[in-house]
Amino acid sequence: MLYAIFGQDITDSLAKRQSVRPAHLERLDALQASGRLLLAGPFPAVDAPDPGAAGFSGSLIVAEFDSLAAAEAWAVADPYVAAGVYAHVTVRPFKQVFPR
């Protein structure tokens, strides 16, 4: 089943994000290589594709996991959690309707 993982950033998270981004992307690469990643990316803190110093306000990952518990365990093991980038992480079941 698909699960949506939403990480809400702390204020001024950019430096912390940048410091652990390679490890975060490595985990996403592994999900993609296994065919389980539907989409992933950050929310710019301002209305621009490159927010510059404004940074990001959070991230969204939609991926396939065996259960909600498995998705939650994967989410809390993310380097952004360990580094304190995320103030809060929410994991919810997700049903893709579009694209068909």
Side-chain angles (χ1 to χ4, degrees):
M1 180 165 182
L2 292 174
Y3 294 89
I5 300 168
F6 174 72
Q8 178 68 47
D9 280 25
I10 62 167
T11 304
D12 298 321
S13 64
L14 188 58
K16 286 184 179 187
R17 266 184 171 268
Q18 291 171 333
S19 72
V20 295
R21 186 171 188 260
H24 172 75
L25 294 179
E26 187 176 312
R27 294 181 83 236
L28 292 171
D29 283 336
L31 271 181
Q32 184 174 14
S34 69
R36 297 170 36 209
L37 181 63
L38 183 64
L39 64 89
F43 297 108
V46 295
D47 188 15
D50 180 358
F56 300 93
S57 62
S59 300
L60 174 65
I61 299 164
V62 179
E64 185 178 342
F65 292 92
D66 291 335
S67 66
L68 178 58
E72 289 172 336
W74 187 92
V76 299
D78 193 281
Y80 281 177
V81 172
V85 172
Y86 292 152
H88 182 65
V89 176
T90 303
V91 181
R92 301 195 54 179
F94 180 80
K95 181 177 177 179
Q96 180 180 353
V97 176
F98 287 98
R100 293 181 192 211

